[in-house]
Amino acid sequence: MPDAARFYGLEINRAGFAACPFHPDKTSSLKIYEDHYYCFGCGAHGDVTDFTARLFSISQYDAARKLNADFGLGLAKQAPSVPVKQTVSPEVAYRNWLHSAERILNDYLNMLCRWQRYYAPKTPGEEQHPYFVESLTKMEQYRYLYEQIRFGTDAEKRRLYLTEHETLSKLAERMKQLTAAKSTVKRKAI
Ligand SMILES: [Zn+2]
């Protein structure tokens, strides 16, 4: 049970509790036992197959097959191996989004800091580099967003999940391109 919970994205604390993916859980109410789980918040409980079925909104049968495939259990070899479509629960999707949003914003802010130093005009008359301008104009806005995502209330974060989804995917895409461009430059330099 703990292996599957971790594999499917739950973070289990030292006491064996995790944030419950089956209800909006501010405290970690889900106790992960060796062979079953129980949520003290919403009462969800069951074994590892129940857990997987619930998490991905699939049948018990498909959950068993998924566990078999994901953990290489080698069961039911005759059964045709149709990949089970991964549909994570809305709670898990939200939590995953928070996690990646925090990382992307952190990377972006670090980059803006570097740009602010690196692309600063050397003389007063020099034309300002676009990256330097961006570092000045975007820093405040994105730092605020980052702080809300890290330290905001659950309600605030859920609102950002709805309103900033687009902004963050665009930023993620841009960061990917910038990183790719950087590694090309490095390769050329070698
Ligand atoms: Zn729960």
Side-chain angles (χ1 to χ4, degrees), residues 19-25 29-30 38-44 54:
C20 176
F22 308 125
H23 80 277
D25 190 13
S29 327
L30 186 75
Y38 180 79
C39 176
F40 291 87
C42 68
R54 217 178 223 268

PDB file of all heavy atoms in Angstrom, residues 19-25 29-30 38-44 54, ligand 1:
ATOM      1  N   ALA A  19      -1.798  13.641   2.584  1.00  0.00           N
ATOM      2  CA  ALA A  19      -2.975  14.449   2.238  1.00  0.00           C
ATOM      3  C   ALA A  19      -3.915  13.572   1.423  1.00  0.00           C
ATOM      4  O   ALA A  19      -3.498  12.912   0.486  1.00  0.00           O
ATOM      5  CB  ALA A  19      -2.549  15.667   1.442  1.00  0.00           C
ATOM      6  N   CYS A  20      -5.170  13.560   1.819  1.00  0.00           N
ATOM      7  CA  CYS A  20      -6.142  12.657   1.180  1.00  0.00           C
ATOM      8  C   CYS A  20      -6.522  13.179  -0.205  1.00  0.00           C
ATOM      9  O   CYS A  20      -6.936  14.323  -0.349  1.00  0.00           O
ATOM     10  CB  CYS A  20      -7.383  12.536   2.046  1.00  0.00           C
ATOM     11  SG  CYS A  20      -8.659  11.539   1.278  1.00  0.00           S
ATOM     12  N   PRO A  21      -6.358  12.360  -1.246  1.00  0.00           N
ATOM     13  CA  PRO A  21      -6.726  12.810  -2.590  1.00  0.00           C
ATOM     14  C   PRO A  21      -8.224  12.717  -2.860  1.00  0.00           C
ATOM     15  O   PRO A  21      -8.682  13.090  -3.924  1.00  0.00           O
ATOM     16  CB  PRO A  21      -5.959  11.834  -3.502  1.00  0.00           C
ATOM     17  CG  PRO A  21      -5.762  10.613  -2.700  1.00  0.00           C
ATOM     18  CD  PRO A  21      -5.767  11.015  -1.248  1.00  0.00           C
ATOM     19  N   PHE A  22      -8.978  12.234  -1.881  1.00  0.00           N
ATOM     20  CA  PHE A  22     -10.405  11.994  -2.124  1.00  0.00           C
ATOM     21  C   PHE A  22     -11.310  13.062  -1.512  1.00  0.00           C
ATOM     22  O   PHE A  22     -12.514  13.022  -1.665  1.00  0.00           O
ATOM     23  CB  PHE A  22     -10.804  10.605  -1.605  1.00  0.00           C
ATOM     24  CG  PHE A  22      -9.896   9.526  -2.127  1.00  0.00           C
ATOM     25  CD1 PHE A  22      -9.246   8.661  -1.281  1.00  0.00           C
ATOM     26  CD2 PHE A  22      -9.677   9.399  -3.500  1.00  0.00           C
ATOM     27  CE1 PHE A  22      -8.400   7.673  -1.770  1.00  0.00           C
ATOM     28  CE2 PHE A  22      -8.827   8.413  -4.004  1.00  0.00           C
ATOM     29  CZ  PHE A  22      -8.186   7.550  -3.131  1.00  0.00           C
ATOM     30  N   HIS A  23     -10.720  13.994  -0.809  1.00  0.00           N
ATOM     31  CA  HIS A  23     -11.487  15.149  -0.349  1.00  0.00           C
ATOM     32  C   HIS A  23     -10.492  16.301  -0.173  1.00  0.00           C
ATOM     33  O   HIS A  23      -9.296  16.046  -0.024  1.00  0.00           O
ATOM     34  CB  HIS A  23     -12.248  14.838   0.959  1.00  0.00           C
ATOM     35  CG  HIS A  23     -11.411  14.919   2.201  1.00  0.00           C
ATOM     36  ND1 HIS A  23     -10.600  13.898   2.656  1.00  0.00           N
ATOM     37  CD2 HIS A  23     -11.245  15.931   3.078  1.00  0.00           C
ATOM     38  CE1 HIS A  23      -9.992  14.264   3.773  1.00  0.00           C
ATOM     39  NE2 HIS A  23     -10.359  15.490   4.054  1.00  0.00           N
ATOM     40  N   PRO A  24     -10.953  17.547  -0.231  1.00  0.00           N
ATOM     41  CA  PRO A  24     -10.035  18.677  -0.020  1.00  0.00           C
ATOM     42  C   PRO A  24      -9.451  18.581   1.390  1.00  0.00           C
ATOM     43  O   PRO A  24     -10.179  18.746   2.363  1.00  0.00           O
ATOM     44  CB  PRO A  24     -10.936  19.911  -0.169  1.00  0.00           C
ATOM     45  CG  PRO A  24     -12.135  19.421  -0.910  1.00  0.00           C
ATOM     46  CD  PRO A  24     -12.324  17.991  -0.491  1.00  0.00           C
ATOM     47  N   ASP A  25      -8.172  18.293   1.469  1.00  0.00           N
ATOM     48  CA  ASP A  25      -7.581  17.922   2.748  1.00  0.00           C
ATOM     49  C   ASP A  25      -6.449  18.878   3.105  1.00  0.00           C
ATOM     50  O   ASP A  25      -5.380  18.833   2.508  1.00  0.00           O
ATOM     51  CB  ASP A  25      -7.052  16.489   2.638  1.00  0.00           C
ATOM     52  CG  ASP A  25      -6.650  15.928   3.988  1.00  0.00           C
ATOM     53  OD1 ASP A  25      -7.006  16.555   5.009  1.00  0.00           O
ATOM     54  OD2 ASP A  25      -6.013  14.863   4.012  1.00  0.00           O
ATOM     55  N   SER A  29      -4.908  13.686   6.519  1.00  0.00           N
ATOM     56  CA  SER A  29      -5.860  12.839   7.259  1.00  0.00           C
ATOM     57  C   SER A  29      -5.826  11.392   6.821  1.00  0.00           C
ATOM     58  O   SER A  29      -6.503  10.552   7.390  1.00  0.00           O
ATOM     59  CB  SER A  29      -7.292  13.327   7.072  1.00  0.00           C
ATOM     60  OG  SER A  29      -7.355  14.711   6.940  1.00  0.00           O
ATOM     61  N   LEU A  30      -5.096  11.123   5.764  1.00  0.00           N
ATOM     62  CA  LEU A  30      -5.141   9.767   5.212  1.00  0.00           C
ATOM     63  C   LEU A  30      -4.015   8.926   5.801  1.00  0.00           C
ATOM     64  O   LEU A  30      -2.839   9.198   5.579  1.00  0.00           O
ATOM     65  CB  LEU A  30      -5.003   9.818   3.690  1.00  0.00           C
ATOM     66  CG  LEU A  30      -5.184   8.499   2.960  1.00  0.00           C
ATOM     67  CD1 LEU A  30      -6.644   8.107   2.902  1.00  0.00           C
ATOM     68  CD2 LEU A  30      -4.618   8.585   1.553  1.00  0.00           C
ATOM     69  N   TYR A  38      -6.930   4.395   5.384  1.00  0.00           N
ATOM     70  CA  TYR A  38      -8.147   4.903   6.018  1.00  0.00           C
ATOM     71  C   TYR A  38      -8.039   6.416   6.154  1.00  0.00           C
ATOM     72  O   TYR A  38      -7.034   6.933   6.638  1.00  0.00           O
ATOM     73  CB  TYR A  38      -8.348   4.269   7.401  1.00  0.00           C
ATOM     74  CG  TYR A  38      -9.609   4.794   8.068  1.00  0.00           C
ATOM     75  CD1 TYR A  38     -10.866   4.290   7.705  1.00  0.00           C
ATOM     76  CD2 TYR A  38      -9.542   5.823   9.009  1.00  0.00           C
ATOM     77  CE1 TYR A  38     -12.021   4.803   8.279  1.00  0.00           C
ATOM     78  CE2 TYR A  38     -10.695   6.335   9.582  1.00  0.00           C
ATOM     79  CZ  TYR A  38     -11.933   5.821   9.218  1.00  0.00           C
ATOM     80  OH  TYR A  38     -13.078   6.331   9.768  1.00  0.00           O
ATOM     81  N   CYS A  39      -9.078   7.148   5.708  1.00  0.00           N
ATOM     82  CA  CYS A  39      -9.044   8.603   5.841  1.00  0.00           C
ATOM     83  C   CYS A  39      -9.891   9.032   7.026  1.00  0.00           C
ATOM     84  O   CYS A  39     -11.082   8.733   7.076  1.00  0.00           O
ATOM     85  CB  CYS A  39      -9.543   9.279   4.570  1.00  0.00           C
ATOM     86  SG  CYS A  39      -9.607  11.073   4.760  1.00  0.00           S
ATOM     87  N   PHE A  40      -9.251   9.724   7.963  1.00  0.00           N
ATOM     88  CA  PHE A  40      -9.961  10.201   9.143  1.00  0.00           C
ATOM     89  C   PHE A  40     -10.812  11.431   8.819  1.00  0.00           C
ATOM     90  O   PHE A  40     -11.606  11.870   9.630  1.00  0.00           O
ATOM     91  CB  PHE A  40      -8.974  10.511  10.272  1.00  0.00           C
ATOM     92  CG  PHE A  40      -8.341   9.263  10.838  1.00  0.00           C
ATOM     93  CD1 PHE A  40      -7.186   8.740  10.264  1.00  0.00           C
ATOM     94  CD2 PHE A  40      -8.927   8.599  11.906  1.00  0.00           C
ATOM     95  CE1 PHE A  40      -6.619   7.575  10.761  1.00  0.00           C
ATOM     96  CE2 PHE A  40      -8.354   7.437  12.402  1.00  0.00           C
ATOM     97  CZ  PHE A  40      -7.203   6.918  11.834  1.00  0.00           C
ATOM     98  N   GLY A  41     -10.623  11.983   7.634  1.00  0.00           N
ATOM     99  CA  GLY A  41     -11.413  13.147   7.225  1.00  0.00           C
ATOM    100  C   GLY A  41     -12.713  12.733   6.553  1.00  0.00           C
ATOM    101  O   GLY A  41     -13.802  13.141   6.968  1.00  0.00           O
ATOM    102  N   CYS A  42     -12.616  11.899   5.507  1.00  0.00           N
ATOM    103  CA  CYS A  42     -13.806  11.590   4.720  1.00  0.00           C
ATOM    104  C   CYS A  42     -14.237  10.133   4.853  1.00  0.00           C
ATOM    105  O   CYS A  42     -15.265   9.729   4.299  1.00  0.00           O
ATOM    106  CB  CYS A  42     -13.583  11.937   3.250  1.00  0.00           C
ATOM    107  SG  CYS A  42     -12.369  10.898   2.415  1.00  0.00           S
ATOM    108  N   GLY A  43     -13.448   9.342   5.560  1.00  0.00           N
ATOM    109  CA  GLY A  43     -13.845   7.961   5.806  1.00  0.00           C
ATOM    110  C   GLY A  43     -13.512   7.002   4.675  1.00  0.00           C
ATOM    111  O   GLY A  43     -13.826   5.810   4.753  1.00  0.00           O
ATOM    112  N   ALA A  44     -12.855   7.503   3.620  1.00  0.00           N
ATOM    113  CA  ALA A  44     -12.474   6.603   2.524  1.00  0.00           C
ATOM    114  C   ALA A  44     -11.533   5.534   3.069  1.00  0.00           C
ATOM    115  O   ALA A  44     -10.664   5.817   3.892  1.00  0.00           O
ATOM    116  CB  ALA A  44     -11.776   7.396   1.423  1.00  0.00           C
ATOM    117  N   ARG A  54     -10.131   4.069  -7.067  1.00  0.00           N
ATOM    118  CA  ARG A  54     -10.700   5.350  -6.682  1.00  0.00           C
ATOM    119  C   ARG A  54      -9.882   6.522  -7.235  1.00  0.00           C
ATOM    120  O   ARG A  54     -10.418   7.481  -7.767  1.00  0.00           O
ATOM    121  CB  ARG A  54     -10.665   5.428  -5.163  1.00  0.00           C
ATOM    122  CG  ARG A  54     -11.840   6.091  -4.520  1.00  0.00           C
ATOM    123  CD  ARG A  54     -11.596   5.987  -3.023  1.00  0.00           C
ATOM    124  NE  ARG A  54     -12.771   5.619  -2.304  1.00  0.00           N
ATOM    125  CZ  ARG A  54     -13.614   6.514  -1.789  1.00  0.00           C
ATOM    126  NH1 ARG A  54     -13.424   7.792  -1.966  1.00  0.00           N
ATOM    127  NH2 ARG A  54     -14.642   6.132  -1.106  1.00  0.00           N
TER     128      ARG A  54
HETATM  129 ZN    ZN B   1     -10.333  11.848   2.764  1.00  0.00          ZN
END
